[in-house]
Amino acid sequence: MTKRFYIETYGCQMNKNDSEVMIMSMEREGFVHTENLDDSDIAIYNTCSVRSHAETRVLARMRLGKKRVRGKKGILAVTGCMAQRMGSDLVKKGLADIAVGPYESPDIGGIIRLFLNGRGKNVFTSQEAANFHDRIMAEPGGFGDASWHRWVTITHGCENFCSYCIVPYVRGKLISFKSDTILSYIKTLAETGTKEITLLGQNVNQYGTDSGDIPFHRLLEKAAAVRGLIRINFITSHPKDFSPDIIKIIRDNGNISRSIHLPLQSGSDRILTLMNRNYDMSRYMGIVELIHRNLESYSLTTDIITGFPGETADDFDDTLACVRRIRFDDAFMYSYSPRENTPAAGIQEDLSGVEKLQRLNRLIAIQRGISREKLLERLNMHERIIVECISKKSRLEVMGKTFLNHPVVIPGNKEDIGKDFIVTIKNLKGNTLQGIRLDR
Ligand code: SAH
Ligand code: SF4
Ligand code: F3S
């Protein structure tokens, strides 16, 4: 009898892409995807370990999933970063039946088939090169039905070892996929209807440094030259490796996104050193200046951690001052969360959870105001958008994103999805820009 699988995805875009690869692998083995947990025989939880909150949330979901899928004698699989970090424990405790880490999850269909036949083992967390399965799969049509947007993972893992971060431990060393494979995959996508891609890596600027392949800016340039792509995005950049060449390539190619995500983490040089980020504020500001001088229109977004161990009131004020000075379009802001076995977890924390949160909330309030002002600057501008979906608020409207990655709602219908339009921004409602098509 056909078995159905359900999948829930947490964490970063790489996990989203991994889930797509897993869906493909499961479908190849004859399993059928369902959006409904109660209707599934196999529930897959593709998890994230980056902060303890992320883990607690998934564990609660898994407990619920276990009851519902097991009610029908189904199985529960944990994949992704928590599978790598604590998969064997989760299996031992009975919360998961099988744990498959990021190295082997692209082959999850075969793994689960063997397991169901009673022949497979139940913990797959090797980080041996031999067990690494390439995740770029250049099949016509990509993953399932042709779609306007695709994630394209260009590197796996991370070797930067920022002192607070668990990613290098759970994802393993930097592995750059071959540029030829990536580019022929992108061509296949473009030929089969994809209009927009996002190149993914924990630090895309390090692309090729492990394998001696072309540098990131060349890969970006070659991707931009693929016919048929309306927009190319890339995340994440690391200030220590971000080269001026990237800005030139963006400037010279109208189909590369003007939204640059450049995680700052802290505005204090002392804290940046403790974080092992390998840049200081003067380097960061140098990049911001260069972007400003070279790109007519751009948006800058960032990640910031508050309450890193040893962060004084002065260090925190430095971060606030940077945020006010740089005026990011948006920021992902987090309260520091100690992660087991990372160097920062060994540093004594002086702040209580409440104090860390107070700092976070002060930062969020300031950034919110700036984000709103930046959005208001877009009023009356002409922007190019790619339509993504029907608006959540009205069936007579659609939502698309601009080249600065701002969501804009315009009148439209489902026929518009995947198409690009030039719009005039007319209004800001809540945090959403509203526009009208120029050709209507
Ligand atoms: N590779 C990317 C993203 C890593 S995870 C980068 O280098 O920027 C996404 C964000 O989570 C990080 O940028 C950081 O701001 C945050 N983060 C990572 N570890 C954290 C921790 N232990 N506590 C709080 N935030 C953390
Ligand atoms: Fe973590 Fe730093 Fe690697 Fe980003 S670059 S994934 S923050 S270790
Ligand atoms: Fe989370 Fe793993 Fe991504 S820890 S942020 S899912 S690499």
Side-chain angles (χ1 to χ4, degrees):
M1 206 188 72
T2 315
K3 289 211 183 290
R4 293 176 182 278
F5 70 97
Y6 163 87
I7 183 161
E8 246 174 60
T9 309
Y10 297 87
C12 61
Q13 286 84 353
M14 246 155 289
N15 254 17
K16 286 187 189 160
N17 187 206
D18 289 355
S19 285
E20 292 175 341
V21 177
M22 286 196 272
I23 291 172
M24 246 177 81
S25 169
M26 292 292 283
E27 286 179 343
R28 267 204 210 125
E29 276 296 322
F31 298 113
V32 175
H33 187 203
T34 170
E35 305 278 343
N36 185 351
L37 172 63
D38 291 308
D39 194 30
S40 69
D41 309 289
I42 304 152
I44 303 173
Y45 290 80
N46 193 14
T47 60
C48 173
S49 289
V50 80
R51 283 167 291 277
S52 69
H53 176 66
E55 292 192 337
T56 328
R57 212 158 51 108
V58 183
L59 287 173
R61 291 293 301 169
M62 281 171 58
R63 270 182 214 109
L64 180 83
K66 191 181 145 191
K67 277 188 208 140
R68 291 181 31 193
V69 79
R70 281 271 179 84
K72 294 187 302 157
K73 298 200 169 24
I75 64 160
L76 189 145
V78 61
T79 65
C81 297
M82 280 171 78
Q84 190 64 41
R85 195 170 96 76
M86 51 207 253
S88 59
D89 266 9
L90 293 175
V91 169
K92 250 183 236 146
K93 285 186 187 139
L95 191 50
D97 298 284
I98 181 166
V100 189
Y103 266 46
E104 292 170 85
S105 57
D107 200 23
I108 190 159
I111 288 175
I112 291 205
R113 177 66 69 204
L114 276 178
F115 179 75
L116 289 175
N117 290 342
R119 284 192 284 133
K121 47 177 192 159
N122 55 6
V123 178
F124 297 80
T125 48
S126 142
Q127 288 188 324
E128 294 294 318
N131 287 325
F132 185 76
H133 288 226
D134 204 337
R135 55 204 56 209
I136 294 165
M137 302 198 184
E139 292 196 345
F143 305 98
D145 55 331
S147 158
W148 56 272
H149 175 267
R150 290 291 181 213
W151 307 109
V152 179
T153 301
I154 63 168
T155 63
H156 182 91
C158 181
E159 294 179 357
N160 293 129
F161 291 97
C162 301
S163 64
Y164 49 80
C165 184
I166 193 123
V167 173
Y169 306 91
V170 287
R171 288 268 162 169
K173 65 185 173 82
L174 174 72
I175 301 173
S176 299
F177 299 136
K178 288 197 184 75
S179 57
D180 290 350
T181 320
I182 296 170
L183 289 163
S184 78
Y185 178 57
I186 295 174
K187 277 186 198 124
T188 313
L189 291 179
E191 281 160 12
T192 50
T194 297
K195 299 287 177 217
E196 177 173 17
I197 58 165
T198 304
L199 305 178
L200 293 179
Q202 294 297 349
N203 172 2
V204 288
N205 310 141
Q206 262 180 334
Y207 175 80
T209 52
D210 56 321
S211 58
D213 210 323
I214 53 174
F216 175 67
H217 67 274
R218 286 274 164 259
L219 183 70
L220 186 60
E221 185 178 37
K222 284 174 188 266
V226 172
R227 276 170 63 109
L229 290 180
I230 299 173
R231 183 159 64 212
I232 294 112
N233 314 288
F234 58 94
I235 37 176
T236 296
S237 293
H238 194 308
K240 84 180 165 68
D241 299 308
F242 191 92
S243 85
D245 296 316
I246 300 171
I247 303 172
K248 278 191 218 129
I249 301 292
I250 300 174
R251 185 194 60 197
D252 297 343
N253 290 275
N255 60 353
I256 301 178
S257 166
R258 264 54 189 159
S259 156
I260 299 174
H261 185 61
L262 196 64
L264 172 70
Q265 310 300 1
S266 166
S268 150
D269 282 348
R270 200 179 71 80
I271 296 298
L272 286 173
T273 306
L274 286 175
M275 287 178 162
N276 193 32
R277 289 288 286 178
N278 284 301
Y279 56 85
D280 57 12
M281 277 317 297
S282 119
R283 175 168 168 89
Y284 193 94
M285 291 311 296
I287 301 172
V288 174
E289 278 292 305
L290 212 58
I291 294 172
H292 190 68
R293 265 192 277 126
N294 282 278
L295 301 182
E296 214 173 292
S297 166
Y298 68 90
S299 72
L300 195 61
T301 55
T302 203
D303 293 351
I304 295 173
I305 300 174
T306 64
F308 184 83
E311 182 188 81
T312 62
D314 282 351
D315 293 319
F316 180 60
D317 284 345
D318 285 347
T319 300
L320 296 184
C322 285
V323 164
R324 288 196 180 99
R325 182 167 162 209
I326 299 172
R327 295 176 58 75
F328 294 106
D329 287 79
D330 210 347
F332 298 96
M333 297 162 280
Y334 309 102
S335 168
Y336 168 71
S337 164
R339 305 282 60 215
E340 213 181 342
N341 296 327
T342 57
I347 314 177
Q348 171 83 33
E349 283 195 77
D350 307 323
L351 298 174
S352 67
V354 173
E355 286 167 317
K356 277 196 281 186
L357 266 181
Q358 277 169 347
R359 285 192 184 174
L360 179 67
N361 288 335
R362 268 184 73 196
L363 174 67
I364 290 175
I366 291 169
Q367 179 56 46
R368 262 205 199 129
I370 297 171
S371 293
R372 193 173 165 79
E373 285 164 19
K374 297 286 274 196
L375 282 175
L376 286 168
E377 286 172 16
R378 306 318 299 169
L379 291 184
N380 302 317
M381 298 270 193
H382 294 168
E383 311 261 3
R384 193 167 181 201
I385 66 165
I386 304 180
V387 172
E388 297 190 0
C389 56
I390 300 284
S391 154
K392 284 196 193 99
K393 302 237 169 85
S394 159
R395 296 180 62 78
L396 302 173
E397 290 178 327
V398 288
M399 189 282 285
K401 293 218 186 84
T402 69
F403 272 62
L404 305 193
N405 205 25
H406 294 138
V408 179
V409 167
I410 60 167
N413 57 50
K414 69 175 191 327
E415 303 298 315
D416 297 328
I417 294 174
K419 293 189 184 144
D420 61 315
F421 302 110
I422 308 285
V423 302
T424 311
I425 308 295
K426 287 288 182 193
N427 199 0
L428 177 67
K429 212 172 172 188
N431 284 324
T432 311
L433 295 170
Q434 298 192 305
I436 50 164
R437 273 169 64 174
L438 264 190
D439 57 346
R440 275 207 176 150

